[in-house]
Amino acid sequence: MKDEVFKKTILVVDDEENVSELLKLYLEAEGFIVEIAEDGLKALELARSINPDLIILDIMLPFKNGWQVAREIRKDMDTPIIMLSAKGEESDKILGLNLGGDDYVTKPFSPGEITARVKAILRRTKIDVKESVVLKFPQLVIDFSKYEIIASGTKILSTPKEVELMWLLANNPEIVFTRERLLDKIWGYDYLGDSRTVDTHVKRLRRKIEKGRLYTYVHTVWGVGYKFGVIKNEEKSL
């Protein structure tokens, strides 16, 4: 068994056969099961039927592009997504992450790099669990055993990395984590992304659990990183 990924299923979505077959070759050599979709419609069909552990999703696809596919997947699935694109502009990367992508890779790329990113994302974060894996705060519950976040009684559709990030911060209230430390704790020391990944995930978490609600939980420590603390909105403005 290689890095505990044996029998995990990866869905590769790319309309370039040489790209998808090369990724399939590398990933299967690492013990993954690989399924391939060549267009957006087939990607959604396979994602819902096989429930993969991770999706590698190209942006430029027939019928439905990668942006559309990511939006549809995020309506009812929290599967990690690595987005592929020939576009390297920062705005495209930010859009991909905001749509729920866990990573963004620009073509051309090394198949070995993609394999490393897949393994880093799938590797479970080794967080020290103290007395309980369920954390409760005013209008917020984080159940790490079920990978659930419940805000104001409503279950929030969250990716595994969002739950891990929220749990780590909440389990260490008022402790300031630098972006680099969060990358190391949640994504792993061999993660090949940068600190903007943390910023994007925090922004998404705030939108999901704080927008229109009475409390805020995740706070920016300017020039350093982030910390967790329960603040009632009227108190925040004082």
Side-chain angles (χ1 to χ4, degrees):
M1 186 180 297
K2 299 184 179 182
D3 292 334
E4 300 179 351
V5 298
F6 185 66
K7 290 190 177 180
K8 288 187 180 294
T9 300
I10 311 299
L11 173 59
V12 176
V13 186
D14 201 305
D15 62 338
E16 296 181 59
E17 184 177 356
N18 61 324
V19 172
S20 55
E21 288 296 334
L22 186 60
L23 287 175
K24 178 180 173 71
L25 180 67
Y26 271 76
L27 290 166
E28 286 184 339
E30 291 295 324
F32 293 101
I33 298 170
V34 181
E35 298 288 342
I36 292 175
E38 65 282 349
D39 62 66
L41 291 177
K42 184 66 173 178
L44 288 172
E45 178 186 336
L46 274 176
R48 288 163 178 157
S49 63
I50 68 174
N51 191 23
D53 295 285
L54 183 142
I55 299 172
I56 300 174
L57 176 63
D58 189 31
I59 301 303
M60 304 303 292
L61 295 169
F63 306 124
K64 282 183 178 288
N65 63 38
W67 307 131
Q68 294 169 312
V69 173
R71 285 191 186 97
E72 289 295 315
I73 288 173
R74 280 293 171 259
K75 288 180 180 179
D76 52 17
M77 299 178 68
D78 58 9
T79 309
I81 299 173
I82 296 177
M83 307 197 81
L84 306 178
S85 177
K87 299 179 179 180
E89 290 83 356
E90 183 175 346
S91 59
D92 290 304
K93 294 181 180 180
I94 292 173
L95 176 58
L97 293 170
N98 281 336
L99 286 174
D102 293 83
D103 202 351
Y104 186 106
V105 181
T106 304
K107 294 181 177 180
F109 53 77
S110 160
E113 176 190 352
I114 297 295
T115 301
R117 289 176 184 256
V118 167
K119 292 165 71 175
I121 290 174
L122 289 178
R123 188 176 295 120
R124 287 290 301 273
T125 305
K126 293 179 176 60
I127 300 176
D128 294 329
V129 179
K130 296 178 180 178
E131 295 181 358
S132 175
V133 292
V134 180
L135 303 175
K136 296 182 179 181
F137 305 95
Q139 298 186 6
L140 179 70
V141 176
I142 305 164
D143 189 336
F144 195 62
S145 64
K146 296 180 180 178
Y147 266 63
E148 289 183 353
I149 298 175
I150 300 171
S152 301
T154 301
K155 181 180 175 181
I156 305 299
L157 183 62
S158 309
T159 67
K161 291 303 180 192
E162 288 171 348
V163 175
E164 290 167 4
L165 177 59
M166 193 67 193
W167 194 90
L168 176 62
L169 290 171
N171 199 41
N172 297 276
E174 301 302 329
I175 300 297
V176 179
F177 286 84
T178 64
R179 292 169 176 82
E180 291 72 23
R181 188 180 176 196
L182 289 171
L183 276 174
D184 181 40
K185 285 280 190 179
I186 304 301
W187 283 266
Y189 71 92
D190 55 356
Y191 178 68
L192 301 174
D194 58 37
S195 61
R196 285 174 297 183
T197 299
V198 175
D199 296 334
T200 300
H201 278 70
V202 168
K203 180 180 178 181
R204 227 163 43 214
L205 275 169
R206 284 170 168 164
R207 184 172 64 245
K208 290 179 179 181
I209 68 174
E210 295 180 354
K211 188 175 181 180
R213 295 192 167 94
L214 186 59
Y215 295 92
T216 56
Y217 306 96
V218 181
H219 310 285
T220 302
V221 180
W222 296 108
V224 183
Y226 298 99
K227 69 175 182 178
F228 180 92
V230 180
I231 297 180
K232 206 169 184 178
N233 285 331
E234 60 187 32
E235 297 174 353
K236 190 176 181 181
S237 60
L238 294 178

